[in-house]
Amino acid sequence: SGDGSPPVGERFSARLGSPRPDIQISNVKIPGSFEVILEKGEGDVFGFVNIHALLDGAPVLVVKAIQDNGVLAQYNADAAPGNRVMPGTYILEVNGQNEVFSMRECLQTQKRVAILFYQRP
């Protein structure tokens, strides 16, 4: 990035043994990131497919597809344009977890998730 700040991955990747292990996603507001809280009722699905990806060298998840009948699609219908989650949006954290396996586990087992999404400018 041209503003002299470190790459996004460096700013949030304590899990990579970065030079600043004290920095956690939760404590840093990354420009372009936003948090969405999704809650499933009985029979609901969050309604998106995610895949493993790298963001500036850091392992993350990325939204691959969004199902029309899911909770995420309902959120998108009401969200401001800049806060809609689209395919290609990165997932940096789920319920405070920022390791890929833990994020996926939360998405599979929890009824309520707070997801930190990030879209490249």
Side-chain angles (χ1 to χ4, degrees), residues 22 24 67 81 105 107-108:
D22 54 311
Q24 298 292 330
Q67 299 159 325
E105 190 172 35
L107 291 169
Q108 290 165 0

Side-chain angles (χ1 to χ4, degrees), residues 6-13 16 54-59 90 118 120:
V8 171
E10 246 173 65
R11 280 183 275 169
F12 70 79
S13 63
L16 288 182
L54 291 176
L55 176 62
D56 294 334
Y90 294 95
Y118 169 75
R120 277 201 191 275

Side-chain angles (χ1 to χ4, degrees), residues 6-91:
V8 171
E10 246 173 65
R11 280 183 275 169
F12 70 79
S13 63
R15 63 192 179 281
L16 288 182
S18 80
R20 296 288 307 279
D22 54 311
I23 295 178
Q24 298 292 330
I25 297 175
S26 308
N27 305 333
V28 179
K29 178 66 174 158
I30 299 166
S33 70
F34 56 100
E35 184 174 73
V36 176
I37 294 173
L38 300 176
E39 194 156 357
K40 291 191 289 192
E42 196 58 43
D44 286 341
V45 293
F46 290 129
F48 64 93
V49 177
N50 66 73
I51 58 171
H52 177 270
L54 291 176
L55 176 62
D56 294 334
V60 295
L61 297 175
V62 66
V63 176
K64 174 87 168 148
I66 299 170
Q67 299 159 325
D68 294 338
N69 62 341
V71 176
L72 183 58
Q74 293 168 12
Y75 159 81
N76 274 341
D78 298 327
N83 285 347
R84 288 189 187 127
V85 177
M86 309 309 258
T89 302
Y90 294 95
I91 299 172

